[in-house]
Amino acid sequence: RGLKPDVITYNAAIDACGKNEQWQKALTLLDEMEQHGLHANVITCNAAIGACAKSSEWQKSLQLLEDMEQYYRPDVISYTHAISACSKGSQWPTALELLDEMQNRGIQPDTITCMAVV
């Protein structure tokens, strides 16, 4: 009995993990969420990508971005987090490819995106 977490609860928890560089816990929560029959949304995906980006886990960020595309259209936040992860991991060519990809999809980079690239 008691309260059961919903998507919003998981989103907040995943985001909190990201802020504390607990990317593995964020991904565990993402899996747990699915096991409880809850489906990630764009906010969930962005929080998970951001959690990995904070810890320079660029490969995980890219995988999450790719997985996200099966269900949702990534937005400027999705790409910014992935670009940030690549930049932190010194994966400059990949960061620039992502910047080009987002623009080709009609997603305009914002100031934060541009700062992530440099």
Side-chain angles (χ1 to χ4, degrees), residues 5-6 11 22 24-25 31 35 38 48 54 56 63 65 74 80 87-88 107 109-110 112:
D6 60 9
N11 289 351
Q22 298 290 319
Q24 292 168 317
K25 180 63 176 170
D31 289 339
Q35 291 170 4
L38 298 171
K54 272 268 201 195
S56 303
Q63 183 61 55
L65 181 67
T80 299
S87 294
K88 287 179 182 179
I107 303 168
D110 60 15
I112 298 168

Side-chain angles (χ1 to χ4, degrees), residues 49 61-69 74 78-79 82 98:
I49 295 168
S61 291
L62 293 180
Q63 183 61 55
L64 288 167
L65 181 67
E66 186 177 315
D67 292 347
M68 177 185 187
E69 292 184 49
S78 316
Y79 277 103
L98 287 170

Side-chain angles (χ1 to χ4, degrees), residues 23-70:
W23 68 272
Q24 292 168 317
K25 180 63 176 170
L27 297 185
T28 298
L29 288 170
L30 186 62
D31 289 339
E32 181 182 299
M33 181 180 171
E34 295 291 328
Q35 291 170 4
H36 286 102
L38 298 171
H39 300 290
N41 58 25
V42 173
I43 295 167
T44 314
C45 296
N46 286 346
I49 295 168
C52 292
K54 272 268 201 195
S55 296
S56 303
E57 292 292 329
W58 64 272
Q59 291 170 314
K60 295 281 186 196
S61 291
L62 293 180
Q63 183 61 55
L64 288 167
L65 181 67
E66 186 177 315
D67 292 347
M68 177 185 187
E69 292 184 49
Q70 295 175 26

